[in-house]
């Protein structure tokens, strides 16, 4: 339930803790004159940092752990890529004859 701030025409200010569905207060409890509800900034929403994303306000310890983890993942990915590259070059140099055609001038029987 929110707390609403009110001010009467005589200048008295007060707060009322009431439901959103309740009717607004229309009389000052001190003098009985008309009141108006004031706009309030409220609480519960905190903006921090550059772009207001929760990941931007992470602790330094968390950031260090994340960078160490991503470095470890990069190393495992690089070693896996090196293994596949090595195996593909090994199979290409296995002594299999080439399927390239010989140039026309090198063919025997033509003069």
């Amino acid at each position: 339930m929110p707390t609403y701030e009110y001010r009467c025409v005589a200048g008295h200010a007060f707060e009322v803790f009431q439901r959103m569905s309740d009717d607004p207060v229309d009389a000052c409890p001190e003098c009985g004159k008309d009141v108006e509800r004031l706009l309030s900034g409220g609480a519960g929403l905190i903006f921090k940092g550059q772009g207001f994303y929760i990941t931007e306000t992470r602790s330094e310890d968390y950031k260090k752990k994340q960078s160490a983890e991503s470095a470890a993942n990069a190393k495992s990915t690089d070693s896996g890529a090196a293994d596949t590259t090595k195996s593909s070059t090994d199979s290409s140099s296995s002594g299999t004859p080439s399927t390239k055609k010989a140039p026309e001038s090198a063919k025997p029987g033509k003069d």
Side-chain angles (χ1 to χ4, degrees):
M1 290 194 324
T3 301
Y4 292 101
E5 296 178 5
Y6 290 91
R7 182 178 53 212
C8 76
V9 291
H12 301 117
F14 60 97
E15 296 178 343
V16 178
F17 186 69
Q18 61 187 139
R19 292 188 173 133
M20 293 175 73
S21 61
D22 290 348
D23 292 330
V25 176
D26 53 355
C28 176
E30 290 185 41
C31 63
K33 294 185 179 180
D34 289 339
V35 297
E36 63 181 357
R37 186 163 51 184
L38 305 175
L39 295 177
S40 167
L45 186 60
I46 300 172
F47 295 110
K48 290 185 178 181
Q50 301 272 328
F52 309 123
Y53 291 99
I54 194 151
T55 56
E56 291 180 351
T57 57
R58 299 276 185 161
S59 68
E60 289 301 316
D61 185 45
Y62 179 84
K63 291 177 185 176
K64 288 178 186 176
K65 288 179 182 177
Q66 281 298 103
S67 62
E69 185 177 310
S70 62
N73 286 342
K75 284 183 181 179
S76 68
T77 304
D78 289 343
S79 66
D83 289 344
T84 58
T85 306
K86 186 177 179 182
S87 65
S88 66
T89 53
D90 288 345
S91 65
S92 66
S93 63
S94 63
T96 313
S98 172
T99 58
K100 291 183 181 178
K101 291 186 177 182
E104 290 291 325
S105 61
K107 287 186 180 178
K110 285 197 173 183
D111 288 340

